[in-house]
């Protein structure tokens, strides 16, 4: 075989102009093993050291790690022997941060400091974040905004009372933990606007939760580093996270948002760390960061379901990653299978286990009866301390007073009240209600033509096929249906209460049909809690049903109950069970009959959460002055008053730092336009970037743009009421895109001198700092009459001033 040729340059005459790098003859080297990278070319004397380090051999190792220009975080080798270093070469290594070479053990303190100089900026930013997050954090001594909700939920954990909320439990458990560590006893009710008493350590609780806001800043810095951004861009990201007034304000109270933001930042950071380990698949570091990405997904989703949006970002990245590996013909089927299995375990199974673990702890801590009992299944409630279900008589008989629980996900208790339908029959309303009330009580009675119930006669047990009446004790009316259409579900018949103890008709008759029993294979008599029933109207043949149709304000926003003409045996919304049961003639049941499996409770609570969350729709009869639309958010059309606006009150206005939000939104538009131009030029065979630079441009852009889109677009199609704080996780990705655009056009550009880059960075950083300082009162608290604080109305739509 002919040996490889080496280009040798003996210098050039002084009259000969220096040649460009494109004139250099690149001679291929033979490759004898796939385990070694192709050798780099020797630079000629006219090549600068910086340019020599950027050069790589083109060929099978196009995607090998390449060390970046001055200003990037990577291994710049400090003039050491860069040509004899051996590095593993894998795909996708060029789009993130190049893997640094391991440093030798430090032999002195000064050498240790020298090796860790890159950590000094994030340490400084973290200390500054402590100041911004903790400064005057206890200035307002009243319950601010949603502290009324989440502070109260923390109290329930300390009292171990079961409650219901639309969000997963992790964040609220951390609120309870903050209260426990602060010495709070859970006795305060957290009424909105109420002054905190001396025994409530609200400042300590705010400080503990604001620590999550502090952690956002170093995570922002290190994420920018892992994305391969320049030093200047990393500083911009850290400054924007540090000085955004919206993030700062939301982090200083007893709320879930600081935790949601922290875990969102953490998920993106872990994803970028994992991406940068792709050159060494299945190494220890590769497994660690893949596992940490899965754990962080579980944590962010366990705080709020909005965490599913960043989960979708990780999912899209994983799909693209596996698709690229699928196209790698050098990768064996066994290795492909290992990659798939690793993602399934770490990015699907692990997050689900973390999510479920938060609910398991939630159920273990809240083991006492509380205000949220009715949202759960009857069997679950029977195991709560202070609940009397376990003392129920087991077998239901005629004359028993009962409550009926709908077994559809999120189902409530069969309920009636004295108010009548304003439409249809104008008879007494029947609904489903999620809270305990005497209006949920019903008495099992025989038909009109049968002998009247006599408590002194022999007990008659309720069985499958019995035709009964259900009387409402508070009003003495009977559960009734007729051919009048239901007010919401027009395909079904209306269910009402009609007559009294002596007046009624065949429209009051309901046939009991047993579906099954959780504890028994053979069902003869109806048992409370465990037997699933259906009630078929004797005359019309329709089934008593309570889905999730919500009545208007005249029905107090309760769930509609109707009679379904379709006989669908699989419809859980037609299933009912006896929950509470009172009958002095019957003995109490054995507690062993009442055990509720965790998976059933876990699924039931999650469906109830989603159902209740979807019910949070704007009320057309009321104007919500705090609500805003998704189109208001990118350019800060409207903010949110977080408290009362009186002259004597400390006022907080939730609104991002304008220059940060606006520049982020503009950068998203700019990125799309720039990508379009590059694609058009590429189609015309223009070469604007080297392959590594193009991969990096796309990689960071995809993380930022798809992260923003996945967090923003769902709110455009949601029917629920929205507020400006819903945009705060989305803002992070526009910040990353803003830094990416600065990095691409200025900081990493070879067109500009270092001095020019410093000038651009100084102007950008100075603008951010000055704008923050101008609006800092919105987060730190505004004293006195608001109209005396001039200069805050940068947009006429902001409702800061009293007109």
């Amino acid at each position: 075989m002919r040996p490889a040729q080496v280009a040798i340059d003996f210098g050039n005459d002084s009259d000969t102009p220096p040649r460009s790098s494109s004139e250099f003859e690149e001679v291929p080297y033979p490759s004898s093993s796939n385990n070694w990278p192709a050798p780099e070319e020797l630079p000629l004397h006219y090549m600068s050291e910086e340019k020599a380090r950027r050069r790589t051999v083109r060929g099978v190792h196009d995607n090998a790690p390449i060390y970046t220009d001055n200003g990037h975080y990577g291994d710049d080798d400090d003039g050491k022997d860069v040509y004899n270093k051996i590095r593993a070469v894998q795909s996708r290594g060029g789009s993130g941060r190049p893997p640094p070479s391991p440093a030798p053990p430090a032999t002195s303190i000064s050498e240790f400091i020298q090796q860790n100089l890159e950590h000094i900026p994030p340490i400084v930013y973290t200390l500054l974040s402590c100041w911004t997050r903790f400064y005057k954090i206890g200035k307002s001594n009243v319950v601010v905004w949603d502290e009324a909700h989440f502070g109260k939920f923390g109290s329930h954990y300390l009292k171990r009372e079961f409650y219901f909320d639309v969000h997963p439990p992790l964040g609220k458990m951390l609120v309870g933990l903050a209260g426990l560590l602060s010495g709070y006893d859970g006795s305060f009710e957290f009424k909105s606007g109420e002054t905190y008493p001396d025994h409530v350590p609200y400042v300590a609780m705010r400080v503990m939760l604001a620590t999550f806001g502090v952690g956002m800043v170093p995570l922002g810095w290190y994420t920018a580093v892992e994305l391969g951004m320049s030093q200047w861009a990393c500083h911009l990201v850290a400054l924007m996270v540090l000085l955004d007034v919206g993030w700062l304000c939301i982090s200083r109270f007893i709320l879930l948002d600081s935790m949601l933001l922290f875990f969102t930042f953490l998920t993106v950071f872990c994803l970028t760390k994992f991406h940068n380990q792709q050159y060494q698949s299945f190494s220890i570091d590769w497994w660690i960061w893949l596992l940490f990405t899965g754990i962080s997904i579980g944590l962010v989703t366990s705080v709020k379901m909005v965490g599913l949006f960043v989960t979708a970002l990780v999912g899209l990245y994983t799909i693209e990653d596996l698709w690229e590996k699928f196209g790698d013909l050098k990768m064996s089927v066994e290795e492909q299978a290992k990659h798939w299995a690793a993602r399934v375990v770490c990015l699907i199974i692990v997050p689900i286990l973390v999510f479920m673990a938060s609910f398991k702890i939630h159920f273990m801590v809240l083991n006492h009866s509380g205000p949220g009992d009715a949202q759960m299944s009857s069997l679950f409630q029977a195991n709560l301390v202070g609940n009397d279900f376990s003392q129920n008589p087991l077998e239901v008989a005629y004359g028993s007073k009962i409550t009926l629980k709908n077994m559809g996900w999120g189902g409530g208790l069969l309920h009636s009240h004295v108010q009548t339908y304003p439409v249809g029959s104008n008879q007494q309303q029947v609904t489903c209600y999620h809270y305990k009330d005497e209006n949920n009580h019903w008495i099992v009675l025989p038909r009109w033509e049968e002998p009247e119930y006599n408590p002194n006669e022999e007990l008659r047990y309720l069985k499958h096929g019995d035709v009964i009446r259900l009387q409402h004790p508070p009003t003495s009316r009977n559960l009734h249906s007729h051919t009048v259409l239901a007010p919401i579900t027009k395909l079904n018949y209306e269910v009402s209460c009609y007559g009294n103890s002596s007046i009624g008709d065949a429209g009051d008759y309901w046939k009991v049909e047993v579906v099954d029993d959780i504890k028994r294979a053979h069902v003869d008599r109806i048992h409370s809690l465990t037997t699933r029933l259906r009630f078929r109207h004797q005359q019309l043949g329709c089934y008593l049903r309570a889905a999730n149709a919500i009545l208007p304000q005249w029905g107090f926003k309760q769930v509609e109950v109707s009679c379904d003409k379709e006989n669908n045996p699989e419809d859980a919304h037609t299933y009912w069970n006896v929950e509470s049961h009172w009958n002095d003639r019957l003995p109490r049941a054995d507690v062993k009959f009442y055990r509720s499996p965790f998976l059933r409770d876990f699924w039931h609570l999650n469906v109830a959460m989603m159902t209740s969350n979807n019910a949070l729709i704007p009320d057309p009869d009321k104007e919500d002055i705090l609500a805003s639309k998704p189109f208001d958010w990118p350019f800060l059309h409207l903010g949110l008053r977080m408290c009362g606006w009186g002259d004597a009150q400390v006022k907080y206005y939730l609104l991002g730092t304008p220059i940060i939000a606006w520049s982020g939104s503009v950068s998203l538009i700019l990125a799309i336009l720039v990508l379009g131009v590059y694609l058009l030029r590429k189609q015309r065979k223009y070469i604007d970037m080297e392959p590594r630079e193009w991969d990096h441009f796309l990689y960071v852009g995809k993380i930022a743009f798809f992260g923003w889109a996945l967090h923003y677009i769902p709110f455009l199609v949601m029917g629920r009421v929205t507020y400006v704080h819903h945009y705060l996780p989305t803002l992070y990705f526009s910040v990353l895109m803003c830094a990416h655009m600065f990095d691409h056009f200025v900081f990493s550009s070879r067109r500009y001198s270092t001095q020019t880059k410093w000038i651009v960075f100084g102007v950008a950083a100075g603008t951010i700092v000055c704008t923050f300082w101008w609006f800092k009162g919105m987060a730190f608290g505004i004293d006195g009459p608001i109209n005396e604080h001039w200069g805050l109305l940068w947009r006429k739509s902001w409702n800061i001033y009293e007109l």
Side-chain angles (χ1 to χ4, degrees):
M1 178 181 292
R2 182 181 179 183
Q5 298 179 8
V6 179
I8 302 176
D9 193 330
F10 294 98
N12 58 336
D13 296 333
S14 58
D15 296 334
T16 304
R19 290 176 293 170
S20 66
S21 61
S22 62
E23 297 175 59
F24 182 72
E25 180 182 1
E26 297 182 5
V27 182
Y29 287 77
S31 177
S32 58
S33 172
N34 290 331
N35 297 325
W36 297 87
E40 297 179 345
E41 295 174 350
L42 293 174
L44 301 184
H45 80 278
Y46 57 78
M47 294 175 63
S48 67
E49 182 181 2
E50 179 181 350
K51 182 177 290 185
R53 287 178 185 157
R54 289 201 304 267
R55 294 183 66 86
T56 60
V57 175
R58 306 295 177 84
V60 296
H61 300 294
D62 284 345
N63 292 323
I66 299 172
Y67 291 91
T68 57
D69 300 328
N70 184 30
H72 283 72
Y73 278 90
D75 185 6
D76 64 2
D77 301 285
D78 294 328
K80 298 175 185 175
D81 189 4
V82 299
Y83 309 111
N84 292 328
K85 288 188 177 181
I86 297 173
R87 299 184 180 91
V89 178
Q90 298 285 343
S91 63
R92 298 179 65 88
S95 55
R97 183 192 188 190
S101 298
T107 57
S108 64
I109 295 179
S110 61
E111 188 176 349
F112 174 80
I113 294 175
Q114 189 70 23
Q115 291 178 357
N116 291 277
L117 285 177
E118 64 174 322
H119 299 296
I120 291 179
I123 291 174
V124 173
Y125 282 121
T126 303
L127 294 176
L128 290 173
S129 182
C130 290
W131 177 78
T132 57
R133 266 61 179 178
F134 300 151
Y135 178 67
K136 293 185 178 180
I137 197 170
K139 184 175 183 179
S140 176
N141 64 344
V142 301
V143 178
V144 175
W145 195 41
D146 276 354
E147 285 186 331
H149 297 299
F150 302 117
K152 180 171 60 179
F153 296 150
S155 298
H156 287 311
Y157 282 105
L158 296 176
K159 294 186 289 185
R160 307 192 69 174
E161 296 174 342
F162 192 85
Y163 72 93
F164 175 77
D165 181 47
V166 297
H167 300 302
L170 178 60
K172 294 165 292 186
M173 285 194 289
L174 292 173
V175 172
L177 179 62
L180 179 65
L181 296 176
S182 304
Y184 172 51
D185 60 5
S187 59
F188 186 57
E189 295 185 4
F190 282 91
K191 294 181 179 178
S192 183
E194 187 173 342
T195 302
Y196 283 108
D198 294 337
H199 69 273
V200 178
Y202 70 96
V203 176
M205 293 177 68
R206 286 178 179 175
V207 167
M208 289 184 189
L209 298 178
T211 306
F212 289 97
V214 172
M216 292 162 53
V217 177
L219 282 175
W221 169 276
Y222 284 115
T223 299
V225 169
E226 294 301 325
L227 287 171
M229 293 186 184
S230 65
Q231 297 181 47
W232 294 289
C234 292
H235 282 287
L236 275 185
V237 171
L239 280 172
M240 287 189 279
V241 176
L242 172 68
L243 300 180
D244 183 77
V245 178
W247 281 333
L248 173 60
C249 186
I250 206 75
S251 300
R252 291 162 53 87
F253 299 100
I254 304 173
L255 305 171
L256 303 186
D257 298 270
S258 61
M259 291 171 271
L260 173 67
L261 290 166
F262 174 82
F263 289 126
T264 299
F265 281 40
L266 180 63
T267 303
V268 179
F269 170 70
C270 291
L271 176 64
T272 57
K273 286 290 289 186
F274 169 71
H275 174 83
N276 291 335
Q277 304 302 319
Q278 293 273 40
Y279 72 99
Q280 49 179 1
S281 296
F282 305 110
S283 64
I284 295 297
D285 288 342
W286 186 91
W287 276 110
I288 286 174
W289 289 110
L290 180 61
L291 180 62
F292 280 0
T293 303
I295 292 173
S296 60
I297 288 173
L299 293 173
V300 69
T301 312
S302 298
V303 174
K304 282 188 176 183
M305 298 304 286
V306 173
L308 290 173
F309 301 155
V310 75
T311 303
L313 175 64
V314 177
L316 287 180
Y317 169 87
T318 303
I319 292 171
E320 182 192 17
D321 182 33
L322 292 175
W323 180 251
E324 288 188 4
K325 286 178 170 54
F326 181 71
D328 186 355
L329 300 182
K330 296 180 182 179
M331 189 175 292
S332 65
V333 175
E334 180 182 356
E335 192 173 358
Q336 294 265 7
K338 286 171 62 179
H339 276 287
W340 277 85
R343 270 61 167 197
V344 169
V345 171
C346 293
L347 299 182
I348 297 179
I349 296 177
V350 168
I352 290 175
L353 291 177
V354 172
F355 186 70
M356 293 176 67
S358 69
F359 281 87
K360 181 65 176 178
I361 298 171
H362 175 74
F363 291 148
M364 291 171 64
V365 174
L366 303 182
N367 63 346
H368 286 64
S369 180
D373 291 8
Q375 289 285 353
M376 296 300 294
S377 68
S378 303
L379 275 181
F380 176 85
Q381 296 178 57
N383 292 277
L384 295 176
V385 177
N387 189 290
D388 60 356
F389 290 176
S390 60
Q391 300 178 11
N392 283 357
L394 181 62
E395 298 177 327
V396 180
Y398 284 81
S400 292
K401 184 165 67 174
I402 61 174
T403 60
L404 289 169
K405 170 85 169 180
N406 185 266
M407 300 193 72
W409 303 114
L413 295 162
L414 189 65
H415 176 93
S416 185
H417 37 240
V418 295
Q419 285 77 13
T420 59
Y421 289 111
V423 294
S425 67
N426 300 118
Q427 294 177 4
Q428 186 171 298
Q429 295 176 20
V430 173
T431 65
C432 254
Y433 188 54
H434 286 98
Y435 300 93
K436 295 180 180 179
D437 188 306
E438 67 172 4
N439 282 324
N440 303 333
H441 297 173
W442 303 87
I443 297 177
V444 180
L445 295 174
R447 293 176 295 174
W448 290 112
E449 54 267 25
E450 293 180 339
E452 186 177 351
Y453 168 72
N454 186 344
N456 297 318
E457 291 181 350
E458 183 181 354
L459 280 170
R460 180 183 171 190
Y461 292 99
L462 188 63
K463 301 186 299 296
H464 172 71
D466 284 1
V467 179
I468 61 171
R469 284 189 297 126
L470 290 171
Q471 187 182 71
H472 188 240
T475 60
S476 299
R477 300 190 183 276
N478 304 290
L479 188 68
H480 183 89
S481 187
H482 38 222
T483 54
V484 177
L485 298 181
I488 304 298
T489 312
K490 297 295 185 181
L491 295 177
N492 296 348
Y493 293 132
E494 178 191 87
V495 174
S496 64
C497 269
Y498 168 75
N500 53 38
S501 299
S502 56
I503 298 175
D505 57 28
D508 304 335
Y509 294 164
W510 300 89
K511 184 177 181 179
V512 178
E513 296 182 359
V514 173
V515 178
D516 57 24
D517 192 284
I518 296 173
K519 299 294 183 181
R520 298 175 296 162
H522 176 67
V523 181
D524 49 357
R525 296 176 179 177
I526 307 301
H527 285 190
S528 60
L529 300 180
T530 62
T531 304
R532 297 197 296 177
L533 312 169
R534 300 176 81 201
F535 292 94
R536 184 169 69 87
H537 195 264
Q538 177 73 3
Q539 189 177 57
L540 301 176
C542 54
Y543 285 83
L544 189 68
R545 187 176 191 269
N548 293 313
I550 305 300
L551 292 171
Q553 191 58 51
W554 53 256
F556 306 101
K557 299 290 185 179
Q558 295 174 14
V559 177
E560 177 196 49
V561 174
S562 62
C563 201
D564 188 0
K565 292 179 279 188
E566 298 293 330
N567 180 13
N568 181 6
E570 304 300 322
D571 184 5
H573 292 291
T574 62
Y575 295 176
W576 304 80
N577 71 268
V578 175
E579 186 170 273
S580 297
H581 179 201
W582 300 272
N583 194 321
D584 295 336
R585 303 176 65 191
L586 295 170
R588 294 179 180 177
D590 191 334
V591 179
K592 70 180 182 181
F593 283 99
Y594 305 134
R595 290 283 180 257
S596 182
F598 166 71
L599 290 178
R600 181 185 292 270
D601 297 334
F602 167 77
W603 186 254
H604 185 104
L605 180 55
N606 273 272
V607 174
M609 285 161 40
M610 288 185 283
T611 301
S612 297
N613 188 61
N614 292 337
L616 297 175
I617 57 176
D619 189 344
D621 300 330
K622 262 186 217 179
E623 181 185 3
D624 189 347
I625 61 172
L626 301 180
S628 57
K629 301 294 184 183
F631 287 114
D632 297 334
W633 302 337
F635 291 96
L636 300 184
H637 181 262
L638 191 64
L640 186 150
R641 294 183 179 184
M642 298 183 69
C643 53
W645 225 240
D647 292 349
Q649 295 174 292
V650 180
K651 292 166 279 294
Y652 298 92
Y653 193 74
L654 185 59
L655 184 78
T657 302
I659 194 65
I660 295 175
W662 295 342
S663 60
S665 299
V666 170
S667 68
L668 290 163
I669 300 172
L670 177 63
I672 296 174
L673 296 176
V674 169
L675 177 62
V677 171
Y678 280 151
L679 291 175
L680 291 174
R681 288 175 59 83
K682 191 171 184 180
Q683 186 67 17
R684 297 296 298 170
K685 311 308 178 189
Y686 288 95
I687 300 176
D688 294 304
M689 287 177 274
E690 296 178 0
R692 177 196 63 81
E693 294 173 321
W694 176 248
D695 288 345
H696 179 261
F697 175 78
L698 288 181
Y699 165 62
V700 181
K702 284 186 288 189
I703 291 291
F705 180 79
F706 284 109
W708 182 89
L710 289 170
H711 282 76
Y712 180 71
I713 293 176
F715 287 104
L716 296 176
V717 297
M718 283 185 187
R720 63 152 292 166
V721 62
T722 52
Y723 302 94
V724 69
H725 72 280
H726 290 138
Y727 187 68
L728 294 180
T730 316
L731 178 64
Y732 180 49
F733 297 96
S734 68
V735 163
L736 293 178
M737 183 64 85
C738 180
H740 181 43
M741 290 294 100
F742 269 103
D743 204 20
H744 179 70
F745 286 109
V746 182
F747 302 142
S748 294
S749 174
R750 300 182 183 93
R751 299 178 181 178
Y752 303 113
S753 65
T754 303
Q755 182 180 7
T756 302
K757 295 175 183 180
W758 273 113
I759 292 173
V760 172
F761 173 76
V763 171
T767 304
I768 292 170
V769 172
C770 292
T771 310
F772 161 76
W773 198 257
W774 189 260
F775 287 97
K776 68 182 187 300
M778 292 183 178
F780 293 150
I782 301 174
D783 295 310
I786 188 64
N787 290 350
E788 294 180 1
H789 297 264
W790 63 275
L792 299 178
L793 197 67
W794 283 22
R795 293 199 64 176
K796 293 181 180 180
S797 55
W798 296 353
N799 57 343
I800 297 176
Y801 294 126
E802 295 286 1
L803 301 179

